[in-house]
Amino acid sequence: VDKYDTQSPIELARQYVDYNGWFDKVKILLKEIIKSQLVACMNPTAGSFTITPRMQRHFATFSFVMPPPDIVRTVYAGLIEGHLSAFNPDIAKYGAKLVDASIDLHKQVSNAFLPSAVKFHYQWNLRE
């Protein structure tokens, strides 16, 4: 954040959203960007936690926390058991164990590989 309470890269993106492009300082003409969209996300555990209100007004903001373990297990069990239903019953019976093992593995990886300034890409979620 600079002395004007702005963030330069975000302000450049905001100018694109507000004006559909950027102004050429030499020709004093709008260089219009067409057929493009912006999608953004913010990680509450790393980096900056806020953006300027002038930019945020253009987005719908959603925030959620990780559901409790029993809900996660129910969701993944439904997915895995539904997928395994097409398999031989001898294989399908391992659905619940596979879900438990996946959740346990996620927990172990998340605790062992913590993000840092050098390893900022260590962001683990159950989709990976």
Side-chain angles (χ1 to χ4, degrees):
V1 178
D2 62 17
K3 68 180 182 177
Y4 302 107
D5 199 32
T6 62
Q7 298 159 312
S8 298
I10 293 175
E11 285 302 309
L12 284 173
R14 185 199 54 81
Q15 287 177 5
Y16 157 69
V17 173
D18 284 346
Y19 303 108
N20 295 322
W22 294 278
F23 283 94
D24 184 324
K25 292 183 352 183
V26 176
K27 298 178 183 177
I28 316 296
L29 294 173
L30 177 66
K31 291 188 174 187
E32 195 170 12
I33 310 295
I34 60 171
K35 296 184 180 177
S36 60
Q37 294 180 327
L38 288 180
V39 176
C41 65
M42 295 173 63
N43 182 347
T45 61
S48 178
F49 302 126
T50 60
I51 62 171
T52 61
R54 289 169 37 173
M55 181 61 163
Q56 190 169 358
R57 69 184 173 171
H58 295 291
F59 292 91
T61 304
F62 301 97
S63 176
F64 61 93
V65 296
M66 187 69 171
D70 58 325
I71 301 293
V72 171
R73 188 182 188 298
T74 301
V75 169
Y76 280 94
L79 292 170
I80 292 296
E81 290 169 3
H83 179 72
L84 292 179
S85 66
F87 287 75
N88 184 313
D90 291 336
I91 294 174
K93 69 181 180 183
Y94 292 108
K97 289 183 180 184
L98 179 61
V99 169
D100 292 336
S102 298
I103 292 172
D104 187 51
L105 177 63
H106 170 261
K107 192 180 302 180
Q108 289 179 24
V109 168
S110 297
N111 291 334
F113 297 99
L114 298 173
S116 66
V118 176
K119 298 176 183 175
F120 57 88
H121 57 283
Y122 282 5
Q123 301 292 325
W124 308 104
N125 61 55
L126 282 168
R127 293 185 311 257
E128 298 177 301

